[in-house]
Amino acid sequence: GAAIVGGVCGQPIKHSMSPVIHNAWIAAAGLDAVYVPFAPAADRFETFVDGLRGGAVRGVNVTIPFKERALAMADTASDLARMAGAANLLLFAADGSVHADNTDGPGLLGAVETQAPGFDAKSAPVVILGAGGAARGAVAALLLAGAPEIRIVNRTLARAQELVDAFGAKVVAVEEAALPGLLADAGLVINATSLGLGGGEGPAADLSLTPKTAVVMDMVYKPLRTEFLRRAEAAGLRTVDGLEMLLRQAIPTFEAIYGVAPSADVDVRGLALTLLGEA
Ligand code: NDP
């Protein structure tokens, strides 16, 4: 058959780890395929997507700042993408149509499954710090996984309220001042803000207030061990890192674009750690 072209689209794109990950899986599978980074000008995203209609490129990941616009360009969308209001994956069919999906949420659940085995999303409330695109994807996936309540804490309360309006009764927006009480019976605490990125201080949350059975996750993966995760460790809690989320997101993405499961023999985490300068 014809060679398969996939890729990732963002602005900027040069720091994306996705090309290294997907091209390693392509090589291991011996596929006649490639995965290419694209960086359309910010006002040319729609032109870029329209240019791919017809399927010369099978699928593209979409990252900052195009995830919402990607969903808007799609003819059909998965429940998760619609719930999240954002797509991180566009698939192009031969008939010219575009299908949107969101694998960020499943990536989050997969990362928790890998690094905190036995965690049950149905067992206790979830606290999410942040209300941006990443938080939306997390809320969608956690609701589908049966989380009983999701508490959103965000610097801009109105943005947290938008998530409540979008997702309904199981999602509540809470003032930062109420955080201590919210942590006391939480099963999962997630940093979905960009705080801690590049080594700064993470979000202010006293993680010693959570039950000892709680799991703490950071979506930020630069650095890998964020200050937030180090505080969780110091409190004796299980932790899940943002790199695992990124890697787990890539698995269903690869399957959707290339039609085969990625080989478990490729050490993609090792490759990513090298790129991050953490190996
Ligand atoms: P957005 O820009 O959509 O949202 C940013 C969030 O961070 C908002 O809630 C914002 O609050 C909050 N925030 C930013 N600066 C501050 C600050 N100084 N004080 C308090 N809150 C702040 O970004 P995304 O949702 O797309 O991404 C969030 C993070 O998740 C990023 O670090 C991103 O790299 C990471 N991410 C990781 C993924 C992975 O696979 N590991 C996947 C997707 C994202 P406010 O609303 O008040 O501005």
Side-chain angles (χ1 to χ4, degrees):
I4 303 173
V5 180
V8 57
C9 162
Q11 187 63 262
I13 201 61
K14 70 167 184 261
H15 297 297
S16 172
M17 294 197 284
S18 294
V20 167
I21 293 165
H22 287 280
N23 285 312
W25 281 334
I26 286 169
L31 295 175
D32 184 16
V34 71
Y35 185 96
V36 189
F38 297 99
D43 66 342
R44 288 291 184 279
F45 175 73
E46 286 72 19
T47 308
F48 170 73
V49 173
D50 276 331
L52 298 184
R53 285 181 190 271
V57 170
R58 185 78 59 86
V60 286
N61 271 134
V62 179
T63 185
I64 289 175
F66 298 130
K67 288 185 183 183
E68 286 83 12
R69 287 160 70 186
L71 179 65
M73 286 298 286
D75 302 295
T76 59
S78 68
D79 288 348
L80 265 178
R82 241 179 290 116
M83 283 175 76
N88 76 323
L89 177 61
L90 292 178
L91 297 169
F92 299 91
D95 66 3
S97 66
V98 182
H99 179 73
D101 205 344
N102 192 314
T103 57
D104 281 333
L108 182 150
L109 296 177
V112 172
E113 200 178 280
T114 304
Q115 295 190 338
F119 171 80
D120 179 8
K122 299 184 193 73
S123 65
V126 177
V127 174
I128 299 183
L129 309 170
R136 267 180 186 268
V139 170
L142 286 162
L143 283 178
L144 286 182
E149 182 177 282
I150 301 179
R151 301 158 174 173
I152 314 286
V153 178
N154 195 50
R155 175 180 61 179
T156 312
L157 189 61
R159 210 170 169 201
Q161 191 58 45
E162 282 172 26
L163 268 72
V164 175
D165 298 342
F167 288 104
K170 286 185 177 167
V171 181
V172 293
V174 196
E175 307 260 7
E176 275 177 28
L179 194 52
L182 300 179
L183 293 173
D185 64 344
L188 176 64
V189 182
I190 302 172
N191 175 30
T193 74
S194 45
L195 288 170
L197 189 61
E201 264 185 53
D206 184 351
L207 297 172
S208 70
L209 298 174
T210 62
K212 290 299 166 212
T213 50
V215 172
V216 174
M217 166 162 197
D218 204 332
M219 290 204 193
V220 171
Y221 56 84
K222 287 177 198 175
L224 183 68
R225 301 313 292 174
T226 58
E227 194 250 0
F228 188 65
L229 289 186
R230 282 191 269 117
R231 267 161 39 212
E233 266 166 7
L237 305 171
R238 291 198 288 173
T239 61
V240 178
D241 62 58
L243 178 60
E244 195 62 26
M245 175 176 165
L246 180 87
L247 296 173
R248 293 294 302 234
Q249 163 280 132
I251 294 172
T253 297
F254 186 85
E255 289 172 353
I257 298 177
Y258 299 104
V260 294
S263 165
D265 295 340
V266 182
D267 178 17
V268 282
R269 194 171 164 94
L271 282 174
L273 288 173
T274 304
L275 287 176
L276 287 170
E278 302 241 14

